[in-house]
């Protein structure tokens, strides 16, 4: 069986690791994979490195990349300044047909039995639907979209959601969600047919979370710190770094030598805004910023506590399962699919979104008790091995596709 994975993304994160773990643990070695990735994707090299020998990675220029480049072209820039939204029309007229033609050329040259669109938040990148359309025209029988996040619910997006609902049901075989919470949201908020929307939990392979670059990020020098708390992921506002910073101010009143490690790409959010907030809260000296690294396994091994304080749009919580896999305690907000993963006080701690006081209390209770940390970590590890390994995920996908 030949499987094509189409990936349009711009910052590296969980969606990349789903593809990597899916392919690395795929149960049928005779199957062939090709991954299409937009050429400016931050995680391109990561995908190439981690799937080497198991998949072919091919780059393409996305519709969005083309539009952004043309917007810097002086005539178009002047048109947008003068006519606003109407001035953007020539960009679409010029780039749109080219994108349709180019994507058809890419997909038509590759024979495959299965198309998997690895999407972000539904409906996601336009190229997903262009490829789904051409794949149906080409009579590729099995066309799936993996959705990792919630649909937009604002009024101005409602007509867009209705269009993509119609287009999804015309061009896709199924939409696969990563949690029951997300499945329910797509059915209720995006009005997708429940028969069309399936759920398969993500799975994690911890062996590929290490690389030969471990010395380059210099974590060894922090091992002597007694209390080490971390947040791992992109710096988008929805991830709740501001909530953690407010909680952290209370934490360091009790643990003045504690350090908060922030792992995330500077390109993935407004880092300067977070730096300014840290200065206002007078916690800057206790923060350690570390850029995105493929060697994230070393981070988990080093940390005493991991926090996931997301405020919204968190359909699964991959960091939760990674933390459990490394037998470390996790604290997460009651958002989206995250409460599905954690049994409070047994294999992790939960708090209401944006409740920085409870979050601070949870962090302090874990820093005060190594035995409590160990208990949560051990129970989390049991849950990971029982339900959330990459082997279980890949087998579930393989069974579903076949």
């Amino acid at each position: 069986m030949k499987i094509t994975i189409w990936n349009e993304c711009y910052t590296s994160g969980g969606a990349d690791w789903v593809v990597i773990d899916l392919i690395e643990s795929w149960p049928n070695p005779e199957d062939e994979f090709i991954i299409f990735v937009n050429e400016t994707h931050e995680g391109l090299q990561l995908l190439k490195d981690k799937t080497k020998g198991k998949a072919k990675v091919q780059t393409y220029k996305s519709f969005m990349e083309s539009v952004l480049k043309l917007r810097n072209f002086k005539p178009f820039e002047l048109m947008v300044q003068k006519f606003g939204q109407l001035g953007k029309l020539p960009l679409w007229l010029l780039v749109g047909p080219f994108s349709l033609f180019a994507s058809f050329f890419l997909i038509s040259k590759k024979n495959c039995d299965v198309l998997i669109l690895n999407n972000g938040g539904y409906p996601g990148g336009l190229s997903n639907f262009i490829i789904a359309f051409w794949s149906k025209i080409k009579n590729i029988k099995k066309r799936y979209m993996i959705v990792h996040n919630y649909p937009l619910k604002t009024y101005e997006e409602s007509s867009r959601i209705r269009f993509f609902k119609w287009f999804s049901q015309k061009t896709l075989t199924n939409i696969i969600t990563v949690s029951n919470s997300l499945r329910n949201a797509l059915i209720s908020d995006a009005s997708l047919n429940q028969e069309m929307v399936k759920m398969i939990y993500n799975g994690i392979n911890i062996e590929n979370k290490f690389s030969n670059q471990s010395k380059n990020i210099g974590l060894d020098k922090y091992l002597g710190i007694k209390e080490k708390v971390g947040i791992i992921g992109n710096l988008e506002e929805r991830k709740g770094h501001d909530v953690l910073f407010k909680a952290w101010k209370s934490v360091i009143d009790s643990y003045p030598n504690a350090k908060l490690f922030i792992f995330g790409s500077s390109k993935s959010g407004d880092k300067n805004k977070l730096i300014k907030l840290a200065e206002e809260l007078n916690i800057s000296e206790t923060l350690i910023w570390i850029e995105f690294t493929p060697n994230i396994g070393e981070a988990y091994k080093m940390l005493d506590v991991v926090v996931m304080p997301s405020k919204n749009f968190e359909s699964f919580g991959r960091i939760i399962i990674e933390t459990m896999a490394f037998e470390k305690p996790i604290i997460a907000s009651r958002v989206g699919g995250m409460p599905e993963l954690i049994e409070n006080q047994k294999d992790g701690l939960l708090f209401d979104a944006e409740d920085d006081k409870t979050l601070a209390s949870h962090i302090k209770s874990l820093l005060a008790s190594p035995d409590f940390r160990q208990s949560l970590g051990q129970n989390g590890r049991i849950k990971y091995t029982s339900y959330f390994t990459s082997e279980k995920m890949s087998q579930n996908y393989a069974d579903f596709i076949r």
Side-chain angles (χ1 to χ4, degrees):
M1 184 165 62
K2 295 182 178 180
I3 303 171
T4 293
I5 298 178
W6 186 271
N7 192 78
E8 181 181 354
C9 197
Y10 299 91
T11 59
S12 189
D16 294 326
W17 283 108
V18 168
V19 172
I20 292 165
D21 289 345
L22 186 69
I23 292 173
E24 284 193 334
S25 300
W26 194 253
N28 307 311
E30 69 276 9
D31 292 338
E32 299 176 22
F33 284 91
I34 180 170
I35 312 170
F36 285 96
V37 187
N38 52 301
E39 61 185 22
T40 61
H41 178 35
E42 183 184 41
L44 174 59
Q45 193 58 49
L46 175 71
L47 284 165
K48 286 182 176 179
D49 292 343
K50 296 295 186 180
T51 62
K52 189 175 182 179
K54 296 187 176 182
K56 180 181 179 182
V57 177
Q58 182 170 336
T59 59
Y60 68 93
K61 188 182 295 295
S62 76
F63 178 86
M64 184 60 67
E65 289 166 352
S66 301
V67 168
L68 290 175
K69 283 189 176 182
L70 277 176
R71 283 182 67 178
N72 296 323
F73 186 49
K74 198 64 176 177
F76 287 124
E77 186 180 330
L78 293 173
M79 291 187 72
V80 171
Q81 289 175 0
K82 187 170 183 179
F83 299 107
Q85 292 294 323
L86 191 63
K88 296 179 182 179
L89 187 59
L91 297 179
W92 288 80
L93 292 176
L94 181 62
V95 178
F98 169 77
S99 183
L100 280 168
F101 173 79
S103 59
F104 174 71
F105 179 76
L106 281 174
I107 205 73
S108 66
K109 288 179 71 82
K110 304 295 179 184
N111 293 318
C112 69
D113 306 296
V114 178
L115 171 71
I116 297 176
L117 304 165
N118 187 42
N119 209 346
Y122 184 83
L126 180 62
S127 71
N128 289 290
F129 291 94
I130 294 174
I131 293 301
F133 172 75
W134 286 131
S135 297
K136 183 171 183 179
I137 295 296
K138 197 184 175 189
N139 203 30
I140 296 173
K141 298 294 184 183
K142 299 180 180 182
R143 305 174 303 277
Y144 307 108
M145 176 184 285
I146 304 174
V147 177
H148 296 273
N149 229 316
Y150 290 98
L152 296 172
K153 298 170 66 174
T154 56
Y155 173 78
E156 60 267 25
E157 293 290 337
S158 60
S159 59
R160 181 175 175 231
I161 291 291
R162 284 195 297 271
F163 169 77
F164 282 113
K165 169 200 169 183
W166 172 82
F167 205 81
S168 297
Q169 294 175 168
K170 293 293 183 183
T171 59
L172 297 173
T173 310
N174 290 104
I175 287 177
I176 301 172
T177 68
V178 296
S179 69
N180 285 309
S181 172
L182 177 54
R183 180 178 184 271
N184 294 336
L186 286 176
I187 292 169
S188 62
D189 299 339
S191 302
L192 290 169
N193 294 337
Q194 61 180 3
E195 295 81 9
M196 183 184 186
V197 187
K198 308 297 180 182
M199 192 284 290
I200 299 177
Y201 278 130
N202 285 334
I204 310 297
N205 175 10
I206 64 172
E207 297 303 322
N208 63 18
K209 302 303 181 290
F210 299 92
S211 79
N212 294 328
Q213 300 179 24
S214 58
K215 295 181 180 179
N216 295 340
I217 57 174
L219 295 183
D220 290 348
K221 62 185 177 184
Y222 302 119
L223 294 178
I225 298 171
K226 189 176 179 181
E227 298 101 3
K228 301 178 288 296
V229 178
I231 179 171
I232 299 169
N234 65 54
L235 304 182
E236 294 177 28
E237 185 176 352
R238 68 182 180 87
K239 291 294 187 179
H241 289 76
D242 58 330
V243 179
L244 177 54
F245 283 11
K246 292 171 186 174
W248 191 247
K249 184 171 178 60
S250 173
V251 171
I252 59 176
D253 287 341
S254 302
Y255 296 92
N257 295 321
K259 297 293 182 184
L260 177 60
F261 292 79
I262 305 159
F263 294 86
S265 168
S266 298
K267 300 177 183 178
S268 64
D270 193 342
K271 183 176 180 179
N272 289 331
K273 183 178 179 180
L274 291 174
I275 290 174
K276 184 177 179 181
L277 175 61
E279 291 171 350
E280 292 171 357
L281 294 170
N282 197 29
I283 61 172
S284 299
E285 295 300 316
T286 66
L287 306 186
I288 297 173
W289 300 83
I290 299 178
E291 281 292 316
F292 163 77
T293 170
N295 195 47
I296 200 64
E298 291 297 329
Y300 285 109
K301 285 176 62 178
M302 178 193 70
L303 295 171
D304 298 306
V305 179
V306 179
V307 182
M308 196 169 183
S310 302
K311 297 191 282 189
N312 50 45
F313 300 124
E314 201 66 72
S315 58
F316 180 72
R318 184 180 180 85
I319 300 302
I320 293 173
I321 302 303
E322 290 185 353
T323 304
M324 289 178 171
F326 281 94
E327 212 165 310
K328 294 300 176 77
I330 180 71
I331 305 173
S333 54
R334 290 185 177 91
V335 168
M338 296 199 292
E340 293 179 39
L341 309 180
I342 293 175
E343 186 175 346
N344 194 34
Q345 298 289 330
K346 181 178 180 181
D347 47 38
L349 298 178
L350 292 169
F351 69 99
D352 293 335
E354 302 193 57
D355 181 0
D356 57 278
K357 291 182 175 57
T358 300
L359 174 56
S361 176
H362 282 342
I363 295 173
K364 286 188 276 190
S365 70
L366 287 175
L367 292 180
S369 176
D371 290 342
F372 190 25
R373 296 201 302 267
Q374 184 179 31
S375 173
L376 293 181
Q378 289 174 343
N379 289 334
R381 174 71 185 186
I382 292 170
K383 178 172 280 187
Y384 158 72
T385 55
S386 299
Y387 302 106
F388 296 109
T389 65
S390 57
E391 288 81 9
K392 291 182 184 297
M393 173 186 68
S394 295
Q395 188 64 61
N396 287 337
Y397 271 94
D399 291 344
F400 178 69
I401 288 171
R402 291 188 186 279

